[in-house]
Each structure stands twice: as structure tokens, then as C-alpha cells.
Amino acid sequence: MNLHPEERNLNRVTFQSSMYDVLLKPSLSGLCQSEKEAYQLILDFMEPGQMSQLDKLSFLNAVATLSSVVRDQANGNMNKYYPKTLLAKKIETFILEEPPEILDSSVRQQAMLCIVALSQVKPPFHLCQKLDLVNVSIASTFSLPLIMPSLDRKESASLYLQTIQALDDMLQALVMEDMSPNMVILQNFVEIILPWLMLSDKVHEQIRALGTISRLLRFICNFSELLNMASFSITGKLVGTFSIRCLNPSHDISTGALEALNYLFIILVLQRSSRPKTEAILKNLQKQFRGNLTANMQSLTLFFRKYLTPVERADVILVAMESMINGSLKDISAASKMLKMILKHSVTEVAKVSEIITLIYYHMDRTTEKAAQNTIKKVFQLLVQSHTEEVILTLFKIKDQSQRETHKFWEILASFPKSYQVIMEYLLQRIISPQAPEDQEADRETELSTLIATRAIHELLLVPSQQFEVQTFFASLFVALLFQISSLVTKGSAVAQDALPETESVDTVSSSVEALKTLMRSSGYIDHMSYIQTLGGWELLISPERHYEGVTLLARSLAVKNCWHNRPVFSFFIKTLQSPGCTNYLTALVFLTELFYCPDVASVVDEVATKILADWFNCDELVTARLFLKITEVFAKHKNTIKHLNILQPFVLSCCYSSSSDLVMETFLMLQCILKDLTWYQSSSFIIKLTFTLVHFFEEESEQLRLITFEIYESVLAKVSRMTLVFPLRHQVLGLLMLLVFHLKDVNAAVVEVCRLILCRIATILRWSKLKEVFAKNDVFTILSALLKQERSRALWFLKQTVALFKSPQGPIRQVAVWFAGQIIWTLHKAEEEEIEDELAIFRHMQRDPDPIVSCFTVQTFYILEAKAKVMPDKTPSSYLCMRGIKRRYC
């Protein structure tokens, strides 16, 4: 008996069961007859076997019916009736079985609508199953041939539109989670769709992809709260992709891309702008997006700068770069125009710099379009300016890992106006002021170390087209590189010593020396380099023990060979010495000491520069003190620097009192030397102060030092005339008369000769013609007697000078001093004798002098003075005591 199909189905509901029916044992009591039939139909069709289109539609309708039942239940769960996962898999199979070349049934449409129904019941789909469903649905729909609306294809076009709508509904349903769109799910969906836009060569497939994404984004715009917005990481990629398609020659593609970009920007505004401004921004956005992107580039630039994160901006650039490298001619042109729009002025903060630079490095040569090449170069230049460290680090990382040369990119970098200057200044700052050790240890991989900075400078110096720019930086580069070498070779910098591993320190020294050589070579100083090479200067420069000899040779090459950068180099050294924290001050002083020999440099030394130098003087630091002695000596040789000797004088003269006897001797030898170059007219102040310093050294025990002191004094007096012998020098000269005469008994014969010469000069200056003859030929006793006779009015002053010599370490001088003191006292009047109580007390103390002649003569002098007080009438005696007689009687 033939039964109607519905009767057969009813029999199945009543009598048949499946494996899942047995396992789950669902309760069907709450279901109406049609719902029970739908359930039984599902069980039947889930069994393996071929299904007709009618069976598939029946199955899909049954699943939709059962989904509606479960949705209306309080705690409904599809798994109570049949595993939801298996149902979805069955539906996915239906979509896969649809022919890709034709749309002749509603199975696709109903399958996707059935997925919508399933998505609304528990349990929720796993993400992996959602992605499988979306992937299959997108492929099945997008791959359909182009269907153009026409009278004879009206039904086909309508079915296609219904299918597209079903696809949109499915995507919108699956993207939801807890009543809000989940942006992680959205990203996965978009990543499935994007290849159809970016890789397909069929315009209708690209249009379908753009339309689907656009409608999905429009759906998202309806929600103020989005789940996992922070994890939505393809914003930049989408902005770049849509922006390029906005410039597509196809009107449909450009319009679709512009629409998608509009909705994406709306999402960004809603999520990233402050609420009070949101409405106004959205209104303005709608106005701007009525035209094409070219007419509204301001909006794209605004969003690029204001609403995109650094990572998203980088993704925009990467998308454009990849299009210029791998895209079609229209994509290359569009990407180039788009980049020009957003990078018209400068690059704001951008991430993934290393990735962008690497892409440019390895693929730039593949771009043959001139405009695109220029745009890529522009991107490179802007990144260098705004992210200098990362660009440089990436270039060297590529070079070190691949052993490929990067000269071309340094040339590109230097080819843009001001780029060379900006980068060189940045690199200079890095080697002049390296980061503290703790900062460098934080992330050495991303830190522009002094080694990398030096290598970068070397690369820039090798760019042949920038020789003129090199001249501008010569002084600062020269000093910075020299300081870096000094810091590392001498370990004088705590930062250099502690921050760098030993191998890196050695590499940095080597790189710095090579950069210094390149700098000199590119500036035309080949002769200077040969001079240094011949004398072994480069080897000395990297020798810890003889480093400063190398610095001296380097400076001497500039001074001797008249380097025309000498003045700028001098100015930069002075500038660095202005900082109290300059750790390389010793290198600077060593270099400047030699550089001052250059007349060009000496001519520009001013008071300010001299004071800066003087601030670094340290008498306790012998190396520094000796350098200042040399600098002073050089200063005395040029008419301009002589004017500034008075600034250095206090520091130099303080060396005379150093605890180091060697330094004291060097100081006096230097003073003796420079006096030959000084004139009274130019340096009277310096000379006068010097004479007052000498007073403390006439009684030095060191015969050599004592001799030099008298010789210096003789040189001073050689520059003095009667007209220039004014107070206080005149007073000092007269105050030293006794000392000079008494030292005619000095144990050093050379001192005796110098003192006699000094006395003759004094006599000449003071016009003591008679005394000059006495000074030149007679012995000390005759000279003293003649002096006392001629200058009787200065007797008390002579006495005070004489008493001061009682402390002389030389016995013969004390003997003469005691004798002459007695002579003076003998000649004094009663009134004058009352003024010498202190001198008499000191004189009386000489009776205990260790020299027996001195003590004996002192005793006898007092006997005579006592006798004078008793018997001598009030008159001045004309005779004087004979010392030789006293000596004989004592002996």
C-alpha cells in the first residue's frame, strides 16, 4: 500500500528511533505534532546518505523549527535534542555541496539563515566552528559568477540578493556574544574576507568582499559597547587597505572602500573620542565622506594622527608599502598617493619601525615605478627623522645578520634636505652624552649604543655627496670622537667603563678611530694623516699607557699643518669645558696646549675662554698643573694671548708653593722662560706680582731653585727703567737691598755673580753712579759701609732688613748680617735707638746662634755698645769695627 509522504513521516515519529534518540532520550511531551515531526525529520536526515535539494530544505526548515522551540524554552538547550555541533556541521556540508558556478536554489540562503537560528540557542558555537561556517559561506557566495540584473534574470538576481542578505545576517548573528559584538570574532571574520579583496583579480569578488565588510562594520556601529575592542588589531591594516581601494579606477570598488572606511572611522570615533565631542565629529565625518578620498584627504590625515595607535599607523604604512612592492600598477599608484596624504608633513609616533625598514631594505629594488620609489624614500627619511635609533639599529642588524651592504640607504638618508644634519646632530649627542649604565642595561637590544652611534657616523661620513655637510660638523665630530676614544682607552669615564662589555669597548675604540680617520680624509687633511701615521700617532692614541702622547700628536698635526678647522675645534673644546661635569677635561687641555701654538687659534683666544681654562686648574693634580704651565708658556709667545696672562697668573704662581718640589722647579723654569717674551708695557702687572712671589724663595735651601729665583729677579729688573720704577716695585727693590748684598756671601758662586749684577742694575736704575762702581768691584763689607754712608737716612730700614736675614740657613750670610747690624746700631742716635727694641731683642738672641763666629761677634758687639752707652759723648762715631780683627781674637 502506497502511503503519502506525510503519513510515512508520522509513522517514523511514532515508531522509529535513532542512536541519538536512544542516548539522549529527549522528552517530546511539550512539543506539538509539527515540532515532533521536525525533530524526527532531523533524526532521519542525520543518517548517512544522499539528500535531494528538497530534503535539504526540509531538514533546514526542521532545524529552524526546533531552534525556535528551544529558544522559547526557559532553559532551552539544543543539545537536549541533538548536538548543535553536528547540526551545524551538517549544514556546513550542504553549503559545500552547492555548485560554485551557479546559483539555482535557495539552499545556501536557507542554510545560512538556519545558522542564524542555531546561533540564538544554547550552547553557543565554539569560535573554531564559527570560523568554519563563515569560511565555507564566504567561499560559496563570493565565488559565484557575476550576476547582472536583467529582465530575463530577474529571479536569479533576486535569489542572489537574498543569499547575500542571508550571509550578512549570519555574520551579524555569529559576531555577537552576550548581546554585544565581539571584536575578536569580527577580526577573524574580516581576515577571512580580506583575501577576496586583496588577492582576487576579479572585480565582482572584490566588490562583494568590500560590501560584506562594510555592512558588517555598519552593523557594529549600532552598538556603543564592544567586547574586546583593545584586542581588535587590524584597524591599521583595514585603514590602509580601504584607503588604497578608495583610489581604485573602478567606481564600485572606490565607493565600497570609501563606505567601509567611513564605518570604520565611526567605530573609532565612538570608541576613542570623548562623549561631548562625538556627535560633532560624526556630523563632520558624514559631510567629508560624501566625496571621494582625494577630495577628503584631510579626514584621512586627521584620523591617522588622532585616532590610530602607533601600531595601527605602522600597519597603514606597511599595507601601503606592500602594495607598492607587490601590487599592480593601479595599486602602486594608489598606495603612493595615500602615503603622500598621510605623511605630508611628518610621521607621528609609529611602531614596528624595524619591520618597515626591513621591508624597505629587502624589497625596495623590486619597485620600478619612480613615484613609488620616491614615496618609499620619503617614508624612510621621515622614519629616520622621527625614529632615528630604531632605523639605525635595524640597518646595522640587517648588515650584521645578512652581511649585506647598507651604503645605499645611508645615501638615501643623506639625500634629503636637513636629514644629514638632523641625524648627525642626534648621533653626536648620543656619543657626547651616553646613557647611564642602568638605562643601557634595561634593553641593550633596542638601545643605540655608543658603538652603533659611532658606526652610524662612520657610514654617514662615507657618503660622497655630503662632503660640504661634513665641513659643518668637523669640529664637533672631531672632538666628540676624540673624547670617546679617550674615555674608553683611559677608562676615565665611569659610564664608558661600567656600561660596555670589554669586547664592545674595543670595537667602539676601533670604530671611533676609523671614523676619525674618515672625517679627516673626507675633509681633505691627507697630509695631516700622513704626519700622524709617520710618528705613530694612531697607535699611541689607542695605547692606555701613552694615549695622551697620541692626543698631543693629533693636535700638533692640526697646529703645524695649519688646519683651517682649528678655530672651530678650539671653540668646541672651550664649549665642552664650560660644563663642570666634563670627564674628558684632561684630553681637552692636552689638545689645547698644542693647538695654542697655531697663530690662528691664539688670535681668537679671549678673556672668557681663558677663564674657562683657568677654572680647570688644580695644583694638587700634577698633570693638570704641568699642562697649565705649558699653556702659560705658549700664551706668552703671542701678542693676543699675552693680554690674558693676568688671568692665569694666580693659578700659575700658586704652583710655586706646591708640595711637589719637581712642580715648583718646573714652574720657576717656565717663569724664567716666559720673561724673555714679556715686555713691561704689555705685562707690567704680571711682572710686579711675580717679583713679590720671588721674595719667598731667595732663601731656598735648594741651590738650583735659589739661583733661578735670583736670575728671574735679574730678568725682571732688566725690563725696569727709572720711570717705571714706581710704588710698589720701587719700595720692594729698596727692601731687598740688604738681601742682595748679603748674598754676595752665598755658598753658590753663581748666585753671587747674579746678585752683583742685580745690584749694578739697581744702581743704574736709581742713578747711584758711585755705588755702582762699588757694587761691581768691592767686597760685601765695603759695599755695606758705602751703602750705609750714602743712605744714612734709611739706616733703620736697613736694620730691619738685616735682622730678617738672621734666619738665613747660610752661616756666612748670618755672619755678615750680625756684623752689619752692629754697624748700623753703632751709628744710631739716642732717639733712633729707642725705636729698635724688637731688633735688639732679636740681635741679642743671636748670641746663641749655632755658628760660633756669629755668636761670638754678637757678644762682642753688645760689649762695645754697652761701652758706648757709658763713655761715648752724644756724637756719631766715624770708625767701625773690623770684623777680621774680631775673627782673629776669637780664634
Side-chain angles (χ1 to χ4, degrees):
M1 181 180 178
N2 293 328
L3 297 176
H4 191 275
E6 291 184 359
E7 292 179 331
R8 288 199 299 271
N9 290 341
L10 183 60
N11 290 338
R12 288 174 184 167
V13 173
T14 305
F15 302 107
Q16 295 185 19
S17 63
S18 68
M19 178 181 65
Y20 284 101
D21 187 37
V22 173
L23 293 175
L24 297 173
K25 296 182 180 179
S27 174
L28 305 179
S29 59
L31 305 182
C32 66
Q33 185 63 24
S34 62
E35 293 167 348
K36 291 179 181 179
E37 291 176 359
Y39 174 72
Q40 186 59 48
L41 191 64
I42 291 171
L43 294 180
D44 289 346
F45 284 135
M46 285 302 295
E47 298 295 334
Q50 292 292 324
M51 297 177 65
S52 66
Q53 284 195 358
L54 182 60
D55 289 340
K56 290 178 182 178
L57 291 173
S58 299
F59 176 81
L60 293 171
N61 185 55
V63 173
T65 301
L66 188 58
S67 298
S68 177
V69 171
V70 175
R71 186 173 63 249
D72 293 339
Q73 293 175 354
N75 296 307
N77 190 308
M78 180 60 79
N79 286 349
K80 290 181 180 180
Y81 296 98
Y82 206 90
K84 180 176 173 178
T85 303
L86 295 179
L87 292 175
K89 197 66 180 175
K90 187 72 172 181
I91 296 171
E92 181 183 331
T93 304
F94 290 172
I95 299 173
L96 284 170
E97 289 174 352
E98 287 298 294
E101 69 282 351
I102 189 171
L103 179 63
D104 58 357
S105 77
S106 60
V107 172
R108 284 187 183 86
Q109 170 195 346
Q110 294 303 316
M112 289 185 279
L113 291 176
C114 191
I115 294 298
V116 173
L118 281 175
S119 70
Q120 296 171 353
V121 300
K122 294 181 180 179
F125 282 120
H126 293 296
L127 178 61
C128 59
Q129 188 156 37
K130 287 185 178 184
L131 298 181
D132 287 342
L133 289 167
V134 170
N135 203 359
V136 167
S137 300
I138 291 293
S140 179
T141 306
F142 286 4
S143 61
L144 289 170
L146 177 64
I147 300 174
M148 299 295 293
S150 62
L151 292 176
D152 59 333
R153 303 185 65 180
K154 187 175 181 180
E155 291 183 5
S156 178
S158 175
L159 182 58
Y160 172 75
L161 293 176
Q162 292 173 22
T163 303
I164 291 297
Q165 183 61 54
L167 175 63
D168 290 343
D169 291 344
M170 184 191 73
L171 292 174
Q172 293 169 14
L174 293 179
V175 84
M176 298 296 290
E177 189 174 289
D178 296 332
M179 305 303 291
S180 296
N182 188 323
M183 299 303 284
V184 171
I185 296 175
L186 174 66
Q187 177 168 323
N188 281 281
F189 289 178
V190 172
E191 287 175 340
I192 290 172
I193 300 171
L194 276 178
W196 292 90
L197 171 64
M198 301 175 68
L199 302 180
S200 174
D201 57 354
K202 297 177 181 179
V203 174
H204 69 276
E205 290 181 354
Q206 297 178 41
I207 294 172
R208 288 169 181 171
L210 275 171
T212 302
I213 296 174
S214 177
R215 292 186 294 274
L216 190 54
L217 292 175
R218 181 178 62 189
F219 172 74
I220 301 296
C221 291
N222 296 319
F223 298 87
S224 59
E225 182 177 351
L226 304 179
L227 302 178
N228 300 316
M229 182 63 191
S231 300
F232 189 70
S233 60
I234 60 170
T235 299
K237 185 176 182 180
L238 292 179
V239 171
T241 302
F242 296 155
S243 298
I244 292 171
R245 268 61 188 183
C246 285
L247 298 172
N248 194 283
S250 168
H251 175 74
D252 291 335
I253 291 178
S254 63
T255 302
L258 190 62
E259 185 179 341
L261 192 62
N262 180 29
Y263 292 130
L264 180 59
F265 284 169
I266 290 174
I267 294 172
L268 295 178
V269 171
L270 290 171
Q271 299 300 316
R272 296 180 180 179
S273 64
S274 58
R275 293 301 174 192
K277 298 180 179 180
T278 301
E279 187 175 349
I281 296 172
L282 289 176
K283 286 182 179 179
N284 187 49
L285 186 64
Q286 293 306 312
K287 292 179 183 178
Q288 291 182 343
F289 272 91
R290 287 174 184 172
N292 56 43
L293 184 67
T294 305
N296 299 286
M297 64 180 71
Q298 184 178 358
S299 179
L300 176 61
T301 304
L302 170 67
F303 274 83
F304 182 81
R305 295 176 182 278
K306 186 172 182 180
Y307 290 99
L308 299 189
T309 65
V311 172
E312 291 167 350
R313 295 189 197 110
D315 287 338
V316 173
I317 295 172
L318 283 168
V319 168
M321 299 288 289
E322 288 168 354
S323 293
M324 287 190 287
I325 292 168
N326 301 315
S328 61
L329 285 176
K330 60 185 179 182
D331 286 343
I332 292 173
S333 176
S336 179
K337 290 178 181 178
M338 186 268 286
L339 273 182
K340 285 180 180 178
M341 293 177 193
I342 62 176
L343 304 178
K344 187 174 183 180
H345 301 292
S346 63
V347 177
T348 49
E349 187 179 355
V350 173
K352 299 184 179 181
V353 174
S354 179
E355 188 175 340
I356 297 172
I357 296 300
T358 302
L359 183 68
I360 293 173
Y361 182 86
Y362 284 106
H363 302 288
M364 182 175 174
D365 291 339
R366 293 170 57 183
T367 306
T368 56
E369 177 67 30
K370 188 67 175 178
Q373 286 183 345
N374 291 337
T375 302
I376 293 175
K377 290 179 181 180
K378 179 68 173 177
V379 172
F380 181 73
Q381 177 221 2
L382 292 176
L383 286 176
V384 169
Q385 291 179 348
S386 58
H387 299 77
T388 308
E389 280 196 25
E390 292 179 79
V391 173
I392 292 173
L393 283 168
T394 303
L395 286 177
F396 281 114
K397 185 177 180 181
I398 293 171
K399 181 177 181 179
D400 294 341
Q401 290 180 351
S402 65
Q403 299 300 311
R404 294 178 61 174
E405 288 300 330
T406 57
H407 296 318
K408 177 180 179 181
F409 286 87
W410 293 105
E411 291 176 5
I412 294 173
L413 182 153
S415 65
F416 290 90
K418 295 187 178 179
S419 284
Y420 191 92
Q421 179 180 351
V422 171
I423 305 308
M424 192 64 84
E425 286 175 352
Y426 181 86
L427 294 171
L428 266 172
Q429 191 58 37
R430 291 316 305 264
I431 66 172
I432 291 173
S433 304
Q435 285 188 320
E438 58 270 17
D439 297 331
Q440 293 188 355
E441 286 297 324
D443 193 355
R444 188 172 290 275
E445 289 297 320
T446 58
E447 164 63 25
L448 188 64
S449 65
T450 51
L451 172 59
I452 296 297
T454 306
R455 289 178 65 190
I457 288 174
H458 191 201
E459 291 287 351
L460 286 172
L461 291 173
L462 291 171
V463 176
S465 62
Q466 297 298 319
Q467 297 306 305
F468 180 77
E469 291 286 349
V470 171
Q471 309 309 313
T472 307
F473 285 96
F474 182 91
S476 53
L477 272 174
F478 186 91
V479 176
L481 291 170
L482 178 59
F483 277 179
Q484 179 160 280
I485 295 168
S486 287
S487 296
L488 296 171
V489 171
T490 65
K491 302 297 183 183
S493 167
V495 171
Q497 185 176 5
D498 299 335
L500 296 177
E502 184 177 352
T503 54
E504 185 171 334
S505 177
V506 172
D507 290 342
T508 305
V509 171
S510 176
S511 295
S512 300
V513 172
E514 287 305 312
L516 192 59
K517 289 180 180 179
T518 304
L519 174 63
M520 296 184 70
R521 188 182 301 111
S522 59
S523 299
Y525 297 130
I526 307 300
D527 290 343
H528 302 68
M529 294 181 65
S530 299
Y531 178 89
I532 298 168
Q533 184 69 41
T534 302
L535 298 175
W538 300 117
E539 291 75 16
L540 291 174
L541 200 61
I542 61 175
S543 168
E545 295 79 18
R546 304 182 66 185
H547 169 71
Y548 291 110
E549 294 179 48
V551 174
T552 299
L553 278 175
L554 190 61
R556 192 172 295 162
S557 73
L558 268 61
V560 171
K561 299 287 184 178
N562 271 332
C563 166
W564 70 276
H565 282 105
N566 280 347
R567 286 187 179 184
V569 169
F570 161 73
S571 298
F572 200 84
F573 270 117
I574 294 298
K575 181 181 177 181
T576 58
L577 288 174
Q578 280 182 295
S579 170
C582 178
T583 56
N584 291 291
Y585 68 92
L586 191 56
T587 300
L589 294 176
V590 170
F591 197 96
L592 287 174
T593 301
E594 288 295 323
L595 202 60
F596 285 136
Y597 282 102
C598 175
D600 281 348
V601 173
S603 65
V604 296
V605 176
D606 57 10
E607 183 177 341
V608 174
T610 308
K611 286 182 177 179
I612 292 171
L613 284 173
D615 287 340
W616 286 98
F617 173 79
N618 184 353
C619 186
D620 296 329
E621 191 175 57
L622 293 181
V623 176
T624 306
R626 287 188 170 101
L627 285 173
F628 267 91
L629 296 181
K630 291 182 180 179
I631 290 173
T632 305
E633 185 175 348
V634 179
F635 266 42
K637 296 182 180 297
H638 195 279
K639 63 181 180 180
N640 178 57
T641 50
I642 283 179
K643 297 184 297 186
H644 308 300
L645 273 180
N646 61 311
I647 297 174
L648 298 178
Q649 185 184 43
F651 305 100
V652 173
L653 294 184
S654 67
C655 293
C656 296
Y657 305 98
S658 171
S659 58
S660 169
S661 58
D662 290 339
L663 181 61
V664 173
M665 181 60 70
E666 290 173 28
T667 303
F668 275 86
L669 288 171
M670 183 276 295
L671 290 170
Q672 187 179 34
C673 179
I674 68 171
L675 274 173
K676 300 173 184 176
D677 300 307
L678 300 182
T679 65
W680 184 265
Y681 174 76
Q682 291 175 316
S683 311
S684 58
S685 175
F686 183 94
I687 294 172
I688 291 172
K689 290 177 182 177
L690 174 59
T691 59
F692 281 92
T693 301
L694 296 176
V695 171
H696 304 283
F697 298 91
F698 286 129
E699 292 296 321
E700 275 291 323
E701 292 185 11
S702 166
E703 292 191 19
Q704 184 182 5
L705 181 57
R706 192 167 69 252
L707 173 61
I708 293 173
T709 304
F710 281 107
E711 288 176 341
I712 292 174
Y713 193 65
E714 190 275 332
S715 297
V716 168
L717 291 180
K719 300 178 184 295
V720 176
S721 66
R722 183 174 179 82
M723 293 187 65
T724 57
L725 189 66
V726 294
F727 185 86
L729 185 58
R730 181 184 178 87
H731 184 272
Q732 191 219 39
V733 169
L734 293 172
L736 291 175
L737 271 175
M738 295 301 100
L739 180 142
L740 293 167
V741 175
F742 292 156
H743 273 277
L744 293 175
K745 298 293 288 184
D746 197 287
V747 295
N748 188 332
V751 172
V752 173
E753 291 301 318
V754 175
C755 286
R756 192 176 294 279
L757 184 58
I758 294 172
L759 287 169
C760 290
R761 287 195 181 279
I762 292 174
T764 301
I765 296 169
L766 297 176
R767 295 183 180 175
W768 291 346
S769 55
K770 293 182 179 179
L771 284 176
K772 183 177 180 181
E773 294 182 7
V774 176
F775 289 159
K777 300 177 181 179
N778 296 97
D779 60 24
V780 63
F781 304 107
T782 306
I783 292 172
L784 287 170
S785 300
L787 260 176
L788 183 58
K789 181 177 180 180
Q790 179 173 314
E791 300 294 323
R792 173 64 182 77
S793 61
R794 293 190 171 96
L796 288 177
W797 192 13
F798 289 167
L799 179 60
K800 291 181 182 295
Q801 294 179 39
T802 301
V803 169
L805 270 295
F806 287 174
K807 297 179 181 179
S808 173
Q810 299 186 53
I813 292 177
R814 295 200 305 277
Q815 293 170 16
V816 177
V818 168
W819 173 83
F820 190 57
Q823 285 292 89
I824 295 172
I825 295 171
W826 177 262
T827 64
L828 296 179
H829 302 293
K830 284 286 185 181
E832 293 174 321
E833 290 177 357
E834 293 175 358
E835 299 179 23
I836 62 170
E837 291 182 5
D838 292 339
E839 285 72 16
L840 283 172
I842 298 171
F843 195 12
R844 185 174 290 109
H845 182 73
M846 295 301 288
Q847 295 178 80
R848 295 192 293 273
D849 191 273
D851 187 327
I853 297 176
V854 173
S855 61
C856 178
F857 189 56
T858 305
V859 172
Q860 290 192 359
T861 301
F862 272 100
Y863 285 150
I864 295 171
L865 291 176
E866 288 174 2
K868 172 193 172 186
K870 294 178 181 179
V871 302
M872 192 93 177
D874 190 16
K875 62 180 180 179
T876 302
S878 58
S879 62
Y880 59 90
L881 297 173
C882 177
M883 188 172 182
R884 295 187 183 88
I886 292 174
K887 282 185 178 181
R888 286 197 297 271
R889 287 198 295 272
Y890 178 79
C891 297

